[in-house]
Amino acid sequence: MSMHFVSIEGLKKEFPVKGGSSLVVFDNINIGIEKGEFVCIIGHSGCGKSTIMNIIAGLDDPSDGVVIMDGREVSGPSLDRGVVFQNYSLLPWLTALQNVNFGVRARWPRWSSEQIEEHSCRYLQMVGLSRSIHRKPAELSGGMRQRVSIARAFATQPKLLLLDEPFGALDALTRGVIQEELIKIWSETQQTVFMITHDVDEAILLSDRILLMTNGPGAHVAESVKISLPRPRDRGTIIEHPGYYKIRNHLVHFLVTRSSQLAGGDNDVETLTVDPIHDKEFSNRRETPDPQPSATASLSNAG
Ligand code: ADP
Ligand code: MG
């Protein structure tokens, strides 16, 4: 039995390839996420991040392993898990408010229209869109559209939010503003968040923990890096913290050098826990006790 809020155990994904063999994208992925935690995952393109997220969302099946959330195995999509994709995925014929209402109504079907609108407006306000709620996606900038999809995901108050490179398509300035809105809304709502990003600074700003994936095929999570920088954090001052560049250098070094060195299915798939600020590194390897004859075994022997 797992004690984590979300427990990803022995996850494997393989795709058949021509000629009868198969491509193992990743293998033996083990991740535990605590309630209220903000976890980012970083790894080179193609290592399987989106596939992992889709499996957690229940939109794809693993070849092996399980995802357990809140004590139950994930076996399909659910309103308990909200997903924000890179391409916004708003309904183009609905206004910003109607897009958010749509999700809220699905979540609480017995609410009155007034209740739904009030709730949706509150979340649109949190992402700074109070004055644009009646505009359709085509009348909104890319940054505003992404804010609507974030408001929509948070408004349904899923137990777990899954964000797949949600700011990848935005310019740096807009991205910075929305990152801070995301921090604000996360700290207000106490959501559990699992986010994919390729932006090291974004990951440090937002995360409690950053998971580092090796390159595929046969990718695995090599490290879990603790981001023990104090909160609240903001973009302006976080870089002044003496530990910031220790973390940053550690992550960049991993991505540039170690992600490929550690790649390949033959490596030890143990995940190392690292705290670069405190120069700490400790292994997560579970102590496996010597095999002992179980009660059932001795009973059947006796019988
Ligand atoms: P990431 O998000 O880390 O960039 P993905 O999860 O999108 O990686 O993809 C991981 C790997 O799986 C890639 O090599 C990709 O080509 C492969 N892949 C994804 N979907 C399929 C599929 N339906 N059939 C075959 N290979 C796939
Ligand atoms: Mg991806």
Side-chain angles (χ1 to χ4, degrees):
M1 273 301 274
S2 109
M3 291 168 304
H4 303 288
F5 177 58
V6 180
S7 203
I8 292 152
E9 296 172 5
L11 215 62
K12 174 181 184 177
K13 185 69 177 182
E14 62 186 319
F15 291 108
V17 289
K18 269 188 201 153
S21 60
S22 67
L23 166 76
V24 176
V25 179
F26 51 78
D27 197 2
N28 207 0
I29 300 280
N30 298 287
I31 301 171
I33 303 173
E34 308 310 324
K35 204 166 178 105
E37 219 185 356
F38 199 122
V39 176
C40 275
I41 188 160
I42 299 187
H44 286 284
S45 187
C47 69
K49 304 178 295 295
S50 294
T51 306
I52 293 175
M53 181 160 288
N54 287 337
I55 293 171
I56 300 174
L59 301 168
D60 196 356
D61 294 320
S63 309
D64 200 0
V66 286
V67 177
I68 297 163
M69 186 175 91
D70 217 6
R72 260 189 252 160
E73 189 174 332
V74 169
S75 58
S78 153
L79 287 167
D80 284 342
R81 291 177 297 277
V83 192
V84 177
F85 298 101
Q86 183 165 351
N87 54 2
Y88 322 127
S89 59
L90 298 175
L91 300 170
W93 60 91
L94 299 180
T95 65
L97 177 61
Q98 289 165 341
N99 263 285
V100 181
N101 287 346
F102 188 79
V104 174
R105 190 175 297 117
R107 180 77 169 79
W108 293 284
R110 277 193 285 236
W111 280 12
S112 69
S113 302
E114 293 74 34
Q115 261 177 311
I116 291 169
E117 292 226 331
E118 190 193 310
H119 183 87
S120 301
C121 283
R122 195 147 53 83
Y123 281 84
L124 284 161
Q125 191 187 345
M126 280 192 219
V127 296
L129 281 183
S130 295
R131 285 181 301 174
S132 311
I133 59 172
H134 298 304
R135 292 206 217 160
K136 292 189 177 167
E139 302 163 318
L140 299 168
S141 69
M144 290 163 110
R145 270 179 248 162
Q146 195 58 317
R147 285 177 164 119
V148 177
S149 42
I150 289 168
R152 181 178 59 181
F154 273 91
T156 57
Q157 298 177 351
K159 290 179 182 170
L160 176 66
L161 262 167
L162 299 165
L163 313 177
D164 191 350
E165 304 203 33
F167 312 131
L170 304 178
D171 65 272
L173 281 178
T174 309
R175 190 158 69 220
V177 174
I178 303 186
Q179 283 165 356
E180 285 190 346
E181 276 157 8
L182 180 62
I183 294 182
K184 192 171 138 256
I185 195 168
W186 170 72
S187 54
E188 283 171 18
T189 55
Q190 312 279 305
Q191 287 283 352
T192 309
V193 181
F194 184 78
M195 171 167 161
I196 300 172
T197 178
H198 57 259
D199 182 333
V200 166
D201 296 289
E202 173 171 284
I204 301 174
L205 177 68
L206 299 171
S207 303
D208 294 313
R209 217 145 49 82
I210 300 175
L211 303 173
L212 295 175
M213 278 186 84
T214 62
N215 297 354
H220 63 275
V221 178
E223 286 190 11
S224 165
V225 182
K226 286 187 180 228
I227 310 303
S228 40
L229 294 167
R231 292 187 189 267
R233 301 175 191 157
D234 70 79
R235 279 178 303 140
T237 54
I238 193 172
I239 53 173
E240 288 163 13
H241 190 283
Y244 188 84
Y245 281 92
K246 270 191 173 175
I247 297 176
R248 196 177 195 285
N249 290 342
H250 184 89
L251 300 176
V252 170
H253 178 65
F254 181 92
L255 290 172
V256 172
T257 313
R258 297 180 54 237
S259 57
S260 53
Q261 284 171 354
L262 295 169
D266 299 336
N267 282 294
D268 197 342
V269 292
E270 168 188 23
T271 302
L272 210 63
T273 299
V274 184
D275 185 344
I277 294 188
H278 302 107
D279 289 316
K280 269 193 209 144
E281 208 173 86
F282 33 92
S283 144
N284 277 350
R285 194 197 292 276
R286 227 179 293 153
E287 297 298 324
T288 35
D290 292 335
Q292 289 181 349
S294 70
T296 35
S298 20
L299 275 179
S300 55
N301 287 346

